[in-house]
Each structure stands twice: as C-alpha cells, then as structure tokens.
Amino acid sequence: MPTGAAPWRYRYQFKGKTEKVSLGQYPLVSLKVARSKRDELAKAVHEGVSPAKQKQLEKFALANSTSVADFSERYFKEVIEKDRKDTKQLRRYLEKEIYPALALGH
C-alpha cells in the first residue's frame, strides 16, 4: 500500500465473480493466523457462503445497533479528547443539551 501497510487479503471466485476479504495487517496478523483465516473462509466459499457478503452484513448490523449516543461517546474519546486540551464545555453541552434531546426523540 502507498502508506506502507501490508494487508493480508483473500481473493476468491464466488458465483463467477472475483471477491476479496481483508484478513488483517502485517505484522499485527502473522502469516500463520492469516493462513488459518484464509482456510476458514475457503471452507465457507466451498459451502456456498460469500465471506465478503457476510462481512458487509456484519458491518451493517453493527451500524444499525450503534446509537447516536454511543457513536458520540466514541467520537468524543477518540477525536475530541486527543484534539483539544479543554473538553469540559463540549462535555457539558453533550450532557445538558444533546443527550436529553435524543432521549426525548427530538
């Protein structure tokens, strides 16, 4: 990859179309683990299941199960707290204005 990352990918044919699934990044995922994941996915393809479609369905289910409040907390911790020195005002705004409005369904 241009960024220097080295992803493991499994490419396969499913119903006449080429599909691919990411198995993880090297060195976080070792060759042994990548091969094991590949073998599991190859078995699923042999059984008539598309691993790429399964992964999409899992992402969709996760996106639908995440609430706005959950997403905002994650964003606050991963982005805001790292970007700003003082987060008290934004935290107060979330707790006093945003979350109560979400609870009321506005």
Side-chain angles (χ1 to χ4, degrees):
M1 305 294 293
T3 61
W8 296 112
R9 291 205 174 119
Y10 171 53
R11 294 179 192 183
Y12 57 94
Q13 292 285 321
F14 187 77
K15 295 185 179 180
K17 292 178 67 179
T18 300
E19 295 183 355
K20 64 183 173 185
V21 176
S22 177
L23 303 175
Q25 297 280 344
Y26 176 82
L28 297 175
V29 176
S30 69
L31 177 60
K32 183 177 181 177
V33 171
R35 284 180 174 165
S36 175
K37 287 182 180 183
R38 179 208 55 202
D39 292 345
E40 290 173 21
L41 296 175
K43 183 179 177 186
V45 170
H46 182 72
E47 293 171 354
V49 177
S50 169
K53 187 70 170 174
Q54 286 298 111
K55 196 168 188 178
Q56 287 176 345
L57 292 173
E58 289 171 9
K59 282 184 181 181
F60 183 73
L62 179 62
N64 285 339
S65 68
T66 303
S67 70
V68 174
D70 293 338
F71 178 79
S72 63
E73 280 300 316
R74 181 176 170 199
Y75 180 80
F76 190 85
K77 289 177 181 165
E78 293 179 6
V79 177
I80 301 298
E81 287 181 348
K82 291 179 182 177
D83 186 45
R84 299 183 184 191
K85 291 181 182 178
D86 184 19
T87 59
K88 291 177 189 173
Q89 185 177 4
L90 186 55
R91 170 56 69 190
R92 188 174 20 245
Y93 182 65
L94 282 171
E95 292 177 357
K96 300 288 183 183
E97 301 290 331
I98 304 294
Y99 293 157
L102 291 173
L104 295 175
H106 292 118

